[in-house]
Amino acid sequence: LTIGWFWILGMMNIFDIRFNIVNIILATLIFGQGDDYTIFITEGLMYEYTYKRKLLASYKNSIILSALIMFIGIGSLIIAKHPALHSLAEVTIIGMGSVVLMTFLFPPLIFKWLTLKKGEKRLMPITLKNMASAVYAFAVFLLGAIILTTCGFFLFTFGKKTDKKKLKYHKMLQWTAKFVLFRIPNVKTIYNNLSGETFDKPGVIICNHQSHIDLMCIMMLAPKLIILTNDWVWNSPFYGRLIKYADFYPVSNGVENAMDKLQAIVEKGYSVMVFPEGTRSEDCSILRFHRGAFYLAEQLKVDIIPVMIHGVGHLLPKKEFMLRKGEIHIQVMPRMAYDAFGETYAERGKNTRKYYAEEYAKLSATIETADYYSDLVKHNYIYKGPSVERAVRANLKKQGNYREIISQLSDYKNVLVVNSGYGEFSLLLSMVHKTMKITAFENDRDKLDLAANCAWVKENLHYVSEITNDENFDAVVLINPTDEQKLKWEKTFIIE
């Protein structure tokens, strides 16, 4: 609306159209029309986003018809000789043209940016809150990178480069990483050193890779640490110079070509860190481990120190830039001999990856509860109407995120949810129990389509409008059931 108003004023200035008492009143009417048009377009966008049904074209046709009536009814006065009537027509043509153009252009552009990415629903829609958190976190990160780069410049440009200076700079990196990591908005960071590892003895640190935040999780562990990076990180405009000062090393040409340099670093008491997956995991699963880390440990004759990170892939996924609310868990596991998991590099990579997958599954089972995913579930209902969002939030609060019943259902493989409503319980259940097959039944077609159209609905969750008799369910969850429904099913869990 603001852009449309400036557009009208600009066009009036270009064509030397002056305000008078009559067209001021008409301009206010046109501005009100623009207000209504914007509301109609936004309602159409929300409807399609909510139910995945086409409606926006109907709203656009109505707006065009309304605008044409104004054009014909008042715009035809452009042929009038009386200057006041003529100015009415001019303001109508310019004003209605502007508000229709702005209405058709900007609300869809903004709404799609908030909710879609490359034509697909955003897993986390953009809101003022998470945008502010992301901007704040990036600003703090950028400020820290600038300060550390400046400190590195003065440390290593003037005077002699010494091991003492290098260690001092690495301690600054460690302190900064820890400071930032424990102050990310809406994020709780938990550090668990299972074996009491001190990192005094050099080793090859390996870690699963989910997000850009992983680097800070590793840097906070110890000052005597060198991270092997790819070319993108090495040439980063934000922290490329910083990691050069820290002697982090690119391995795009193969780790075997860097052995002399890395051997010298290890002899000074530094550990070398490698992401054996080589790239960030999009779904937080443990990807295939490459041979580089195991080759390196064998050549350097040092132990492998496994570190596991959970949560960063949920907070800042690979293809997203919006920070989410959640937790980071950093777990340092007992160090092991470089040949502990096999004779060959391929065996070590395969067996170590299996070990990681098992340990990650155990950690996930304790962390990824109903409370863990509740905020993500709430974000599935943003931009689907305030009444829907309020109802979902109220249900989650009233039922304590359904944590007790979701925990009780952990041993079941095939679950039916009756009267699923907006689907918040079914969605939360599917996120906590990823291997469970969930069938959600709902009579109300609008609620059914709304629930089925949530961004986080995965393969293990199916919404249906009728239940076939030949399906066998391990358990049935009844939400606000009728007496007839209570009598119909056995093995039931009731939510009221």
Side-chain angles (χ1 to χ4, degrees):
L1 286 171
T2 304
I3 295 171
W5 185 240
F6 277 107
W7 190 278
I8 292 170
L9 294 177
M11 294 292 288
M12 290 179 68
N13 182 66
I14 290 172
F15 294 106
D16 195 27
I17 300 170
R18 304 304 175 91
F19 274 123
N20 55 53
I21 190 62
V22 178
N23 62 25
I24 282 177
I25 296 172
L26 181 62
T28 305
L29 173 63
I30 291 170
F31 197 63
Q33 288 282 88
D35 186 13
D36 292 338
Y37 294 165
T38 303
I39 291 171
F40 294 153
I41 289 292
T42 306
E43 283 186 351
L45 289 163
M46 289 177 64
Y47 186 89
E48 290 191 354
Y49 177 74
T50 301
Y51 301 107
K52 208 172 183 179
R53 303 176 195 159
K54 296 296 182 183
L55 186 67
L56 188 58
S58 299
Y59 278 107
K60 287 183 176 180
N61 290 337
S62 300
I63 290 170
I64 292 171
L65 183 60
S66 172
L68 282 174
I69 292 171
M70 284 286 289
F71 273 115
I72 295 170
I74 303 178
S76 59
L77 294 175
I78 194 73
I79 62 175
K81 293 182 179 180
H82 193 285
L85 297 178
H86 189 80
S87 71
L88 282 176
E90 291 176 324
V91 170
T92 299
I93 293 170
I94 290 174
M96 291 304 297
S98 297
V99 297
V100 170
L101 179 63
M102 297 303 112
T103 298
F104 278 32
L105 180 62
F106 285 101
L109 191 67
I110 295 170
F111 189 84
K112 288 177 181 178
W113 174 70
L114 292 171
T115 59
L116 303 177
K117 183 177 181 181
K118 296 181 179 179
E120 300 291 332
K121 285 180 178 287
R122 288 186 183 275
L123 296 179
M124 176 67 72
I126 297 173
T127 65
L128 284 174
K129 184 177 180 180
N130 60 26
M131 174 65 82
S133 296
V135 170
Y136 168 79
F138 180 75
V140 171
F141 168 78
L142 188 60
L143 179 63
I146 292 172
I147 292 173
L148 287 170
T149 302
T150 304
C151 292
F153 173 80
F154 284 104
L155 270 175
F156 303 120
T157 303
F158 304 101
K160 189 177 180 181
K161 295 180 182 179
T162 63
D163 291 341
K164 187 176 180 180
K165 281 186 177 181
K166 190 68 69 176
L167 181 58
K168 182 179 180 180
Y169 189 66
H170 276 261
K171 287 181 177 179
M172 291 170 59
L173 289 178
Q174 182 191 18
W175 183 89
T176 303
K178 190 173 183 179
F179 178 86
V180 172
L181 201 61
F182 281 85
R183 286 164 180 81
I184 301 174
N186 300 314
V187 175
K188 182 180 180 181
T189 301
I190 300 168
Y191 176 60
N192 187 14
N193 193 334
L194 298 180
S195 61
E197 177 64 54
T198 61
F199 299 97
D200 291 336
K201 182 181 177 182
V204 172
I205 300 172
I206 59 174
C207 182
N208 58 313
H209 198 13
Q210 298 180 352
S211 169
H212 289 302
I213 303 176
D214 294 339
L215 280 172
M216 287 192 292
C217 295
I218 296 299
M219 287 165 58
M220 66 159 275
L221 297 177
K224 287 192 170 185
L225 182 66
I226 299 296
I227 299 177
L228 301 188
T229 69
N230 56 30
D231 287 342
W232 185 90
V233 175
W234 181 257
N235 297 314
S236 170
F238 301 112
Y239 48 82
R241 179 57 58 182
L242 180 158
I243 64 174
K244 291 181 177 69
Y245 287 138
D247 280 345
F248 291 179
Y249 198 79
V251 288
S252 55
N253 295 326
V255 69
E256 60 275 3
N257 297 319
M259 290 308 304
D260 291 342
K261 183 177 179 63
L262 295 176
Q263 183 67 54
I265 289 172
V266 168
E267 289 175 358
K268 293 179 181 179
Y270 284 76
S271 294
V272 180
M273 190 274 153
V274 182
F275 290 115
E277 293 166 291
T279 186
R280 289 168 288 159
S281 173
E282 291 185 19
D283 59 359
C284 300
S285 63
I286 307 298
L287 304 179
R288 183 177 72 89
F289 280 13
H290 296 281
R291 63 186 288 273
F294 309 100
Y295 170 82
L296 186 63
E298 182 181 75
Q299 295 299 310
L300 296 175
K301 298 294 186 290
V302 294
D303 294 335
I304 291 177
I305 308 172
V307 176
M308 182 172 291
I309 299 176
H310 180 282
V312 289
H314 295 290
L315 297 173
L316 188 64
K318 184 174 182 177
K319 293 185 178 180
E320 292 283 333
F321 70 96
M322 286 290 107
L323 275 173
R324 303 172 184 169
K325 182 180 179 180
E327 297 178 355
I328 297 175
H329 290 257
I330 305 166
Q331 185 166 288
V332 181
M333 298 181 287
R335 67 166 60 211
M336 55 192 184
Y338 63 81
D339 58 354
F341 276 95
E343 296 295 327
T344 66
Y345 303 130
E347 285 181 2
R348 295 170 196 169
K350 182 179 180 180
N351 293 333
T352 306
R353 186 226 167 254
K354 182 180 178 182
Y355 167 67
Y356 259 79
E358 291 171 353
E359 293 299 316
Y360 189 81
K362 293 177 185 177
L363 186 62
S364 298
T366 62
I367 296 171
E368 295 178 17
T369 62
D371 293 327
Y372 182 85
Y373 284 116
S374 63
D375 186 70
L376 203 54
V377 168
K378 293 172 189 174
H379 277 80
N380 276 259
Y381 297 89
I382 292 178
Y383 301 123
K384 293 192 174 184
S387 61
V388 172
E389 186 181 348
R390 281 196 296 267
V392 168
R393 289 180 180 274
N395 289 340
L396 289 170
K397 183 177 181 180
K398 177 184 175 182
Q399 301 294 340
N401 294 328
Y402 303 98
R403 67 176 70 89
E404 291 186 12
I405 191 169
I406 287 177
S407 177
Q408 292 172 25
L409 289 166
S410 60
D411 294 329
Y412 295 96
K413 301 297 181 183
N414 192 0
V415 175
L416 171 66
V417 180
V418 180
N419 306 329
S420 62
Y422 292 127
E424 69 279 359
F425 168 75
S426 305
L427 183 60
L428 190 53
L429 181 64
S430 71
M431 294 167 76
V432 175
H433 301 303
K434 298 176 180 62
T435 59
M436 179 185 292
K437 181 183 177 183
I438 303 160
T439 303
F441 164 73
E442 174 57 50
N443 265 324
D444 188 319
R445 191 69 201 184
D446 285 345
K447 290 182 177 179
L448 185 71
D449 288 347
L450 185 153
N453 199 35
C454 287
W456 271 83
V457 173
K458 305 299 183 183
E459 293 80 6
N460 65 325
L461 174 57
H462 303 277
Y463 288 93
V464 297
S465 57
E466 60 178 318
I467 304 170
T468 57
N469 295 324
D470 58 346
E471 291 190 82
N472 296 317
F473 299 101
D474 300 331
V476 179
V477 180
L478 304 178
I479 301 177
N480 298 320
T482 63
D483 291 336
E484 183 182 352
Q485 288 174 333
K486 289 180 181 178
L487 295 171
K488 184 176 180 180
W489 283 284
E490 298 179 354
K491 302 179 185 177
T492 58
F493 296 83
I494 298 176
I495 301 173
E496 293 181 314

